[in-house]
Amino acid sequence: MLDTGELRERFQQHYGIHPHVIVRAPGRVNLIGEHTDYNDGFVFPVAIDRATCVAARPRTDRIVRVMAADLHDEDLFSIDQIERSNRAWHNYIRGVVLALRTAGHTLSGADMLIASDVPRGAGLSSSAALEVAVGYTFQVLNRLNILGEELALLAQGAENTFVGVQCGIMDQLIAVFGRADHALLIDCRDLTYRAVPLPPSVAVVVCDSHIARTLAASAYNQRRQECDAAVRALQQWYPGIRALRDVSEDQLAAHQHELPEPLRSRARHVVSENRRALQGAAALEAGDVATFGRLMNESHASLRDDYQVSLPDIDFLVTTAQSLAGCYGSRLTGAGFGGCTVSLVERSNVETFRHDLAQAYHDATGRTATIYVCRASDGVGRVMDNARPQE
């Protein structure tokens, strides 16, 4: 957990004055429903107890100054002239500020210091945590009336159009609306959601493979294009469909042999994954952890075989986890091609599970995995206001 008192002091050391506010936005792990969000489908993520924090004060001019404490790097730009930077992290912040300005919100400049304990490049949505934290910071400093859905959409739009990653809406929504001790079943078409309590007897265990997701961005955009192509092909039989969300498994089965590969496999994953997300949420609501775990396992097989976004070492992590005592289910989480797995584990078995999984992975690959036992946390909010901790 980030120490907001330390962040307050670091801001004072850098800018010579204490911050006016400190905002926190969480990372996330998706329990089930992968690559369905940009197909207008269903996802089932939790906000985790790792977050990005922004300490900030308003300025009287239109200049934004940013210090990234973890990177020991800075950015400076004018709200009136926002251009892309050759430093990747700059663009997440600049893109959000430009999105706010373009939406018609009146902004003043700000001094900001950013710190995060969400691992970068691990598939735990460090980018959305940053975007939402920055957007909410400007909302607070400028006393803007922005609904949570609008904040999430502005953040997503910044990543789509300014950063250039065609992400869906899941990551930003869970960063805004996350609820402690709950997962959210989110309908990515109309942005409605319902909170589902997580059974207290199980833990969400995330394993970072430390395999850099070098193919994730390009392959992600390619998968989106393939899904769009599958929709166009299926529209000759079902002209009313707008996305793979609208296709039933029976409809796909009726025409799957007329779809060329890889469109057939991509569609089969998305259509079946939407069903798994809905069934999984219903299972947890009924306290049926075993069924939820089985659906997680089926999800990974689909991601591996039909969506082809796994890697052999990720498959090893998943199959090893599935074989360990107390593990109900395990799967790849995030865009794929490296990153993290997520497992649902009986709390009494967690420490043995962590040890045995890390040992097996090291013996097989020579790499050291980082394993987090995550607590579902609340979404974006203030943790310090006018330099005083929130009660």
Side-chain angles (χ1 to χ4, degrees):
M1 296 288 289
L2 292 168
D3 185 332
T4 52
E6 179 183 340
L7 193 60
R8 178 178 182 269
E9 294 307 313
R10 291 172 79 173
F11 186 97
Q12 196 277 333
Q13 292 168 12
H14 190 75
Y15 291 110
I17 190 171
H18 283 130
H20 176 77
V21 69
I22 298 179
V23 164
R24 171 196 176 279
R28 68 95 187 95
V29 63
N30 192 26
L31 298 183
I32 202 163
E34 211 68 70
H35 290 281
T36 49
D37 58 345
Y38 53 81
N39 288 290
D40 283 0
F42 298 92
V43 292
F44 196 56
V46 297
I48 60 174
D49 51 344
R50 288 179 166 267
T52 294
C53 286
V54 179
R57 283 191 73 87
R59 293 174 59 92
T60 57
D61 58 16
R62 306 276 287 171
I63 297 300
V64 177
R65 293 193 298 176
V66 189
M67 173 65 186
D70 308 325
L71 302 176
H72 305 289
D73 196 10
E74 299 181 64
D75 190 21
L76 184 148
F77 62 92
S78 168
I79 291 172
D80 298 313
Q81 188 173 2
I82 301 176
E83 299 174 345
R84 283 183 55 83
S85 168
N86 58 8
R87 306 296 295 269
W89 74 268
H90 293 180
N91 292 323
Y92 290 96
I93 298 161
R94 294 182 181 198
V96 169
V97 177
L98 178 60
L100 287 165
R101 193 192 76 188
T102 302
H105 297 293
T106 301
L107 306 177
S108 63
D111 290 334
M112 300 193 295
L113 187 141
I114 297 173
S116 180
D117 63 358
V118 184
R120 290 186 295 275
L124 298 180
S125 202
S126 58
S127 57
L130 175 59
E131 293 155 5
V132 169
V134 168
Y136 193 76
T137 297
F138 275 90
Q139 177 178 337
V140 171
L141 294 182
N142 295 278
R143 297 180 174 86
L144 304 176
N145 182 22
I146 300 177
L147 297 175
E149 292 86 353
E150 181 188 355
L151 177 60
L153 288 166
L154 286 170
Q156 180 204 18
E159 187 156 347
N160 289 172
T161 61
F162 201 83
V163 177
V165 176
Q166 299 305 306
C167 64
I169 191 62
M170 171 179 66
D171 296 351
Q172 292 81 9
L173 274 177
I174 190 65
V176 171
F177 291 118
R179 186 181 300 183
D181 303 320
H182 290 71
L184 296 189
L185 178 68
I186 300 172
D187 183 333
C188 293
R189 170 164 285 168
D190 63 14
L191 308 188
T192 58
Y193 63 91
R194 75 174 188 265
V196 178
L198 296 174
S201 62
V202 297
V204 175
V205 182
V206 174
C207 180
D208 185 352
S209 69
H210 292 292
I211 300 173
R213 299 183 305 131
T214 52
L215 296 176
S218 60
Y220 185 96
N221 291 342
Q222 180 185 352
R223 294 300 184 278
R224 288 199 66 151
Q225 293 165 6
E226 290 164 349
C227 289
D228 291 343
V231 170
R232 290 193 297 271
L234 288 164
Q235 281 173 335
Q236 62 184 301
W237 301 290
Y238 309 110
I241 68 171
R242 291 189 287 149
L244 287 174
R245 144 70 174 275
D246 301 314
V247 181
S248 72
E249 288 183 286
D250 287 343
Q251 287 174 326
L252 181 61
H255 296 284
Q256 64 176 347
H257 295 298
E258 297 163 273
L259 287 179
E261 289 290 4
L263 304 190
R264 179 194 313 164
S265 296
R266 306 299 187 250
R268 185 166 56 223
H269 166 73
V270 174
V271 172
S272 63
E273 187 78 347
N274 276 319
R275 169 182 52 79
R276 285 187 287 269
L278 292 170
Q279 290 179 338
L284 278 195
E285 285 176 319
D288 187 353
V289 184
T291 292
F292 189 86
R294 175 179 57 77
L295 292 166
M296 290 178 74
N297 295 339
E298 291 175 5
S299 172
H300 182 78
S302 182
L303 287 163
R304 179 193 64 212
D305 300 334
D306 280 344
Y307 224 64
Q308 296 179 303
V309 292
S310 191
L311 296 172
D313 288 351
I314 296 294
D315 296 336
F316 177 84
L317 273 174
V318 168
T319 55
T320 301
Q322 291 168 350
S323 73
L324 295 176
C327 180
Y328 290 98
S330 186
R331 58 184 287 276
L332 165 71
T333 187
F337 298 100
C340 292
T341 65
V342 60
S343 304
L344 213 59
V345 182
E346 190 71 30
R347 286 198 181 277
S348 59
N349 294 98
V350 164
E351 289 310 312
T352 302
F353 175 88
R354 291 177 70 178
H355 174 271
D356 291 352
L357 183 60
Q359 187 66 54
Y361 184 63
H362 185 269
D363 290 347
T365 68
R367 278 191 295 274
T368 300
T370 303
I371 300 179
Y372 311 99
V373 180
C374 295
R375 182 180 62 82
S377 74
D378 288 327
V380 67
R382 309 181 202 191
V383 291
M384 189 175 287
D385 208 348
N386 294 321
R388 293 190 299 273
Q390 294 289 286
E391 296 298 329

